[in-house]
Amino acid sequence: MDKREDPYSPGAGRAPFALTGRAQQTEDFETAVLRIESGLDARPLAFYGLRGVGKTVLLRSLYEKVKARKWITAIVEGRPGKDLRSLIGEELEEVLADLAKPKASQTVLKAVKTALSFLHLQVNTEGAFSLGLDLSSVDSSNAATGNIAGDFGRVVRDLSFAAEKSNTGVALFFDEAQEMSTEDLQAINTLAHRASQERYRLVLAIAGLPTLPGILAESNSYVERLYAYHELGPLSAEATAAALTEPAAFRNVEWTDGAIDFAVRATGGFSYFVQEFGSASWASAKASPINLKDARRADRLAQESLDTGFFKSRWTRATDAQKAYLQAMSLDGEGPSTTAGIAARLGKEPTALSPRRAELITKGLIYSPRQGAVAFTVPKMADFIKRQVTD
Ligand SMILES: Nc1ncnc2c1ncn2[C@@H]1O[C@H](COP(=O)(O)OP(=O)(O)OP(=O)(O)O)[C@@H](O)[C@H]1O
Ligand SMILES: [Mg+2]
């Protein structure tokens, strides 16, 4: 069928036509929003899962929800070498431009002025980002002390007071949180902790790889009880079916039950694979309904597309020595593998392999789900590696 009408969205952070299987997470978030609007507190949320399960698109959809409710909101993505002040700073400029109206109340102007002090420390020039407002007579908090936890806390507190005036709240989203420094994560945790004690109107959602709960726990001791954790796993059979049939129905195209059953098995419910599969099925089918034969052909197409893009791009990042390590891991399938087992397979001492393991973690190819164990950050990587070896 016509590729120009393909309703699927394989990629990174591309919003799917139908965000399926995330009703529980969405409901918990909406409950948090309603609790804040009625003057109660809300537990921060932490989402974690492998590459491509749908962390970014979930955060984005929650972000859109609070935006529609006129909340003060920002979404940032952790990146190595970027600190919280600059990440939040980039987002704050837009937030402040919305808030800074000449007729705004003193509470709102105070929040604006506090946030400006937070930004100005970063660019280090007074007035580099100006809103064209005279704030000289407005009282404010100092968010330019250089202590990120304190400064960030004061900005959010003042923004929360501003939000209270319009009976809304502040929602902050942190994606790729495993990339953030310990200091920055501590600042976020401290804020979350204080927010519930002092009733800031704040909803916080943080997302990252499966290492996130461990990383958070290492940064502050009270964190296990602070967040409501949600593991984002593969979509259920129903959610996978809906992710395939709903976009097609929009184009008046149906799927046969046989094709759907096949797709559920072939994709394992991994969101990104489901989108690739949908797209490949669309390309394979001549007309509605998409049938089992189309789905079988799509499976080969989707696999080729994943092999040459998604998997290959990761594989080629590894050196030969690292590839040998990954190959030894792949014998355990989806894993995890024990570091002792890998060492035995490679005929080395575990300690001799520690640097290699560390390099692969830094490259984002593997992670350590617990001490003495490693696993792939992307689903089905083991199968891909096995194909490389037999090819
Ligand atoms: N719940 C869902 N229903 C249908 N499709 C989804 C769902 N979640 C994600 N997708 C699709 O899966 C793909 C990956 O989504 P996304 O980029 O959000 O994953 P991610 O977990 O953030 O991955 P990464 O760890 O690489 O950043 C996209 O093509 C997106 O459209
Ligand atoms: Mg993402």
Side-chain angles (χ1 to χ4, degrees):
M1 292 183 286
D2 191 339
K3 281 195 181 164
R4 286 170 300 183
E5 293 190 355
D6 176 356
Y8 300 100
S9 52
R14 271 181 83 190
F17 178 89
L19 184 80
T20 65
R22 302 294 182 228
Q24 184 64 55
Q25 290 82 1
T26 305
E27 191 187 315
D28 283 7
F29 180 81
E30 284 173 339
T31 302
V33 166
L34 294 177
R35 284 181 60 88
I36 293 292
E37 286 181 358
S38 59
L40 298 169
D41 69 339
R43 204 163 175 202
L45 301 165
F47 303 117
Y48 62 94
L50 297 176
R51 293 268 164 231
V53 290
K55 301 177 292 294
T56 301
V57 297
L58 176 63
L59 284 191
R60 288 235 149 244
S61 95
L62 304 178
Y63 170 78
E64 294 303 332
K65 283 186 197 297
V66 281
K67 248 198 140 126
R69 295 177 87 88
K70 306 256 184 283
W71 277 42
I72 296 171
T73 183
I75 186 163
V76 303
E77 188 182 300
R79 271 170 276 156
K82 267 267 185 182
D83 66 5
L84 181 60
R85 191 182 293 270
S86 56
L87 288 171
I88 283 283
E90 285 164 17
E91 285 285 301
L92 268 183
E93 294 190 8
E94 198 181 317
V95 167
L96 296 187
D98 276 351
L99 286 177
K101 303 277 158 22
K103 289 216 182 80
S105 69
Q106 285 296 308
T107 316
V108 170
L109 293 177
K110 176 177 179 179
V112 169
K113 195 169 172 185
T114 303
L116 281 175
S117 75
F118 184 82
L119 286 178
H120 287 159
L121 181 72
Q122 180 203 341
V123 292
N124 214 11
T125 42
E126 203 59 40
F129 172 66
S130 145
L131 295 158
L133 282 181
D134 178 11
L135 297 170
S136 52
S137 60
V138 175
D139 162 44
S140 74
S141 315
N142 180 7
T145 68
N147 172 317
I148 184 64
D151 289 352
F152 183 48
R154 282 183 283 277
V155 172
V156 177
R157 181 195 57 199
D158 287 0
L159 286 171
S160 155
F161 289 148
E164 194 169 2
K165 296 284 163 202
S166 51
N167 199 28
T168 60
V170 178
L172 298 177
F173 301 89
F174 301 93
D175 200 1
E176 301 281 349
Q178 79 283 343
E179 298 292 347
M180 302 180 83
S181 69
T182 306
E183 189 189 14
D184 287 348
L185 288 174
Q186 281 169 343
I188 295 169
N189 295 337
T190 307
L191 170 68
H193 196 55
R194 192 165 300 151
S196 71
Q197 287 171 337
E198 298 182 18
R199 291 288 161 93
Y200 298 168
R201 298 174 74 98
L202 176 70
V203 174
L204 210 141
I206 178 163
L209 287 178
T211 43
L212 183 62
I215 291 175
L216 287 173
E218 272 169 34
S219 58
N220 294 85
S221 57
Y222 50 78
V223 155
E224 289 116 53
R225 285 156 292 138
L226 185 60
Y227 293 92
Y229 288 98
H230 288 262
E231 179 172 10
L232 298 185
L235 300 173
S236 65
E238 293 74 40
T240 304
L244 292 169
T245 55
E246 286 180 24
F250 173 71
R251 298 273 185 212
N252 292 319
V253 168
E254 291 185 355
W255 285 70
T256 65
D257 290 346
I260 287 292
D261 288 346
F262 183 85
V264 167
R265 266 179 284 121
T267 60
F270 281 104
S271 303
Y272 169 58
F273 298 161
V274 172
Q275 297 298 332
E276 281 284 2
F277 195 97
S279 213
S281 303
W282 190 268
S284 303
K286 292 266 175 305
S288 177
I290 296 172
N291 61 32
L292 185 57
K293 204 163 141 234
D294 302 324
R296 286 218 166 93
R297 197 169 334 121
D299 190 31
R300 286 192 295 276
L301 276 178
Q303 176 131 40
E304 256 170 53
S305 161
L306 291 170
D307 280 5
T308 52
F310 188 68
F311 293 122
K312 188 71 157 265
S313 65
R314 292 179 157 78
W315 185 237
T316 51
R317 257 189 276 158
T319 62
D320 286 347
Q322 291 165 354
K323 280 181 183 154
Y325 192 98
L326 296 174
Q327 234 157 45
M329 278 177 68
S330 73
L331 300 179
D332 296 312
E334 291 289 299
S337 305
T338 63
T339 46
I342 297 166
R345 276 174 201 154
L346 294 174
K348 302 239 169 119
E349 285 298 315
T351 47
L353 289 172
S354 298
R356 215 178 282 177
R357 169 178 163 275
E359 289 153 16
L360 285 164
I361 290 178
T362 308
K363 283 189 176 171
L365 296 172
I366 64 172
Y367 72 98
S368 170
R370 57 171 194 273
Q371 186 138 27
V374 284
F376 295 107
T377 54
V378 302
K380 298 197 183 197
M381 186 74 191
D383 292 346
F384 168 80
I385 294 172
K386 284 182 193 152
R387 285 196 291 280
Q388 304 314 295
V389 180
T390 49
D391 281 356

